[in-house]
Amino acid sequence: EPTRGKWVGLIPGNHELVARRDYHIDVAAIICDRLGVPYLGADEACGWLRISMMDNGKSRGAVDIFAIHGWGGGELRGSDALKLQRLLWRKNADLVAVGHLHRGMIFPEQVEYLNRRGTEETRTRWGVIVPPQIGKHAYLASRGGNAPAPGYAVVTIHRDHDRTPKLSVSLELF
């Protein structure tokens, strides 16, 4: 209840999909209803979100976000970072957010592109791994891991000097 109305969308994860498949209960839809939030990415556990920046009724750019619950596997050092980087390469999004993985991470990547005038520009695309906030230490401890850092990624959308939308991402500790 304290976070009701503060979310822009929700995607289901592996536990919600199992509940729907095995017990015929759409837990993610119930959570969306309680939080007052749109249900994104029903079966695929992923979805796109575009946030349009408006100025005097005109669109002044947009921020594209790709959110995916994620997948397991890969015990090698850096496997989570490699998954996140590969998603950044495959998805043309300003922000790629991944759940399921139990180690939080913020990953900026500089990409070069041609703007509408045909000149080359550079922008930062962000990758964020969002760890679970409930029972995360017990789960990792059962696998022999350490507790993750007590924090979460905060994504802020603001306008740059030329009024185009920009993202900044920071890690906040609780």
Side-chain angles (χ1 to χ4, degrees), residues 46-59:
C46 65
W48 284 91
L49 178 66
R50 172 170 274 186
I51 298 175
S52 295
M53 306 293 279
M54 303 298 285
D55 188 17
N56 295 329
K58 291 185 177 183
S59 177

Side-chain angles (χ1 to χ4, degrees), residues 10 13 47 51 62 70 94 130 138 145:
L10 184 130
I51 298 175
D94 299 300
V130 184

Side-chain angles (χ1 to χ4, degrees), residues 1 5 7 24 49 51 54 59 64 78 82-83 99 103-104 128 135 145 156-157 160 167:
E1 188 60 31
W7 300 89
H24 309 290
L49 178 66
I51 298 175
M54 303 298 285
S59 177
D64 291 323
L82 289 172
K83 287 178 193 176
R103 292 173 282 230
V128 178
T156 305
I157 302 171
D160 201 2
L167 291 173

Side-chain angles (χ1 to χ4, degrees), residues 9-147:
L10 184 130
I11 58 173
N14 52 309
H15 299 281
E16 292 83 9
L17 293 174
V18 168
R20 190 171 68 195
R21 181 191 69 218
D22 294 351
Y23 304 105
H24 309 290
I25 299 171
D26 195 349
V27 177
I30 295 168
I31 293 170
C32 287
D33 183 58
R34 289 184 181 169
L35 291 177
V37 66
Y39 190 4
L40 305 174
D43 284 333
E44 289 77 30
C46 65
W48 284 91
L49 178 66
R50 172 170 274 186
I51 298 175
S52 295
M53 306 293 279
M54 303 298 285
D55 188 17
N56 295 329
K58 291 185 177 183
S59 177
R60 299 287 184 202
V63 174
D64 291 323
I65 300 170
F66 178 74
I68 185 168
H69 176 71
W71 61 96
E75 290 298 321
L76 295 176
R77 184 180 302 274
S79 62
D80 292 346
L82 289 172
K83 287 178 193 176
L84 183 57
Q85 185 181 42
R86 288 182 180 126
L87 270 174
L88 278 169
W89 291 346
R90 288 195 305 264
K91 304 298 180 185
N92 187 21
D94 299 300
L95 174 70
V96 172
V98 181
H100 190 81
L101 304 169
H102 293 268
R103 292 173 282 230
M105 186 181 305
I106 297 173
F107 191 99
E109 183 172 65
Q110 295 289 323
V111 290
E112 295 173 348
Y113 68 100
L114 295 177
N115 65 19
R116 291 181 181 176
R117 296 180 304 276
T119 57
E120 185 178 314
E121 289 189 16
T122 303
R123 70 177 173 147
T124 301
R125 292 176 42 198
W126 292 91
V128 178
I129 294 176
V130 184
Q133 301 298 314
I134 299 172
K136 58 187 176 179
H137 177 67
Y139 179 80
L140 287 173
S142 69
R143 295 175 46 209
N146 295 322

